[in-house]
Structure formats: structure tokens, C-alpha cells
Amino acid sequence: MGKIDEIYMSEAIKEAKKAFEEDEVPVGCIIVYQRKIIARAHNQVERLKDPTAHAEMLALTSATNYLNSKWLNDCSIYVTVEPCSMCAGALVLARIKNIIFGASDPKAGACGSVLNITGNKKLNHRIKVKSGILEQECSSLLKEFFKNKRIQRNNDINENNELNENNQIRRGG
């Protein structure tokens, strides 16, 4: 199953790259049913001004509409980053069969890193989880995105400092 996982994860990475280009946190995913991609999505939190517009949530809606069912029992989701608690919870509620992700999320991951919602025995459904598929490529997108954000933030701070200094000079300060 390794090669097919890489092929599907490559499709999720294409979605993450779309998010990157749109200045969204670069997370992408696809949902597969009977070896066919039935849903694709990437983060759209900024565009939609919606904190729930994670790639997984958008793909879930698309997949359930495609199958005309609230259950995704025989589906697998391929996502570039370990799902957060919101997304992992929604995937449990949708009864998805498998989660395959690239990079772990040590700050918010809910498939074993911070929490393990997907394997919680108190819940009515557990999901098989596989991690580390094309991990380097998935994590490098995130690292590049946040590096660019830090550079942009520092440039903005420097510009503001220069403006303040110029205003003080003009006022004789």
C-alpha cells in the first residue's frame, strides 16, 4: 500500500500548494472511495473568514455530498498535516475508515501527537491512522510558509519603527 499512499499524498500536497499560493496555512487533503478521489480541499480560513474552514472539514462536506451519505465508512482521507481536534472529531463522527497524514503536528495534532481522538475507546468509532507519508515534503511546505510569515512580520515591524522615527524627527523629537 506504500506506493499508492504516496500517489494519493502527492494529490493532497497539490492542494496544500494551492493554500500556500493563497497565503493560507498550507494544508491540503483528498478523500478516496473505492480507489477514486471523491473530494479535494485546502485550507480556506482566511479567504472565508471562517475558523472551521480547514481542508479536512471542506473535504468532508464535499465527500458526504458526493456519496449522499453522512457516513464515510469505506473512505480514506489523505492530509498533509495531522488533523487538529476539530477535524479529528468530525472524521470520527463521519466514521471515516482511514486517516493517512504526512507531517505530525506537535502543537495541535489529535491523531496521537497532542491528543488521540481517533483512537479514543470511549468514542463510538475509531479510525486507523498511518503517518509519515511524504513527511519531508509536507513539513517543508509548512516551514517555508511560517518562515515567510516571520520575515513579513519583521519587515512590517521595521517599517513601523522607521515611520515612527521619521515622525519624531519631523516634530523635532
Side-chain angles (χ1 to χ4, degrees), residues 54-66:
H54 291 197
E56 301 96 320
M57 301 297 284
L58 298 172
L60 263 176
T61 300
S62 182
T64 55
N65 286 335
Y66 178 86

Side-chain angles (χ1 to χ4, degrees), residues 130-142:
K130 189 175 188 180
S131 62
I133 307 300
L134 300 182
E135 181 175 14
Q136 189 62 42
E137 196 171 343
C138 294
S139 66
S140 68
L141 261 177
L142 285 167

Side-chain angles (χ1 to χ4, degrees), residues 94-107:
R95 298 185 184 174
I96 203 155
K97 186 175 185 176
N98 302 296
I99 296 174
I100 300 95
F101 68 85
S104 295
D105 184 346
K107 293 184 178 180

Side-chain angles (χ1 to χ4, degrees), residues 47-91:
R47 173 197 282 179
L48 299 176
K49 308 287 187 262
D50 179 356
T52 68
H54 291 197
E56 301 96 320
M57 301 297 284
L58 298 172
L60 263 176
T61 300
S62 182
T64 55
N65 286 335
Y66 178 86
L67 293 175
N68 196 30
S69 172
K70 63 182 179 179
W71 307 129
L72 298 176
N73 304 66
D74 295 319
C75 295
S76 297
I77 187 167
Y78 289 80
V79 59
T80 56
V81 179
E82 180 179 5
C84 69
S85 57
M86 173 184 67
C87 294
L91 292 165

Side-chain angles (χ1 to χ4, degrees), residues 12-29 41-44 55-56 79-82 103 137-149:
I13 290 169
K14 287 179 187 176
E15 290 296 319
K17 287 178 178 176
K18 290 179 187 176
F20 186 96
E21 291 166 10
E22 296 170 11
D23 203 29
E24 297 274 359
V25 175
V27 178
C29 72
H42 58 276
N43 276 6
Q44 295 184 40
E56 301 96 320
V79 59
T80 56
V81 179
E82 180 179 5
E137 196 171 343
C138 294
S139 66
S140 68
L141 261 177
L142 285 167
K143 287 176 184 172
E144 184 180 350
F145 177 81
F146 287 111
K147 177 184 171 190
N148 290 346
K149 284 292 182 191

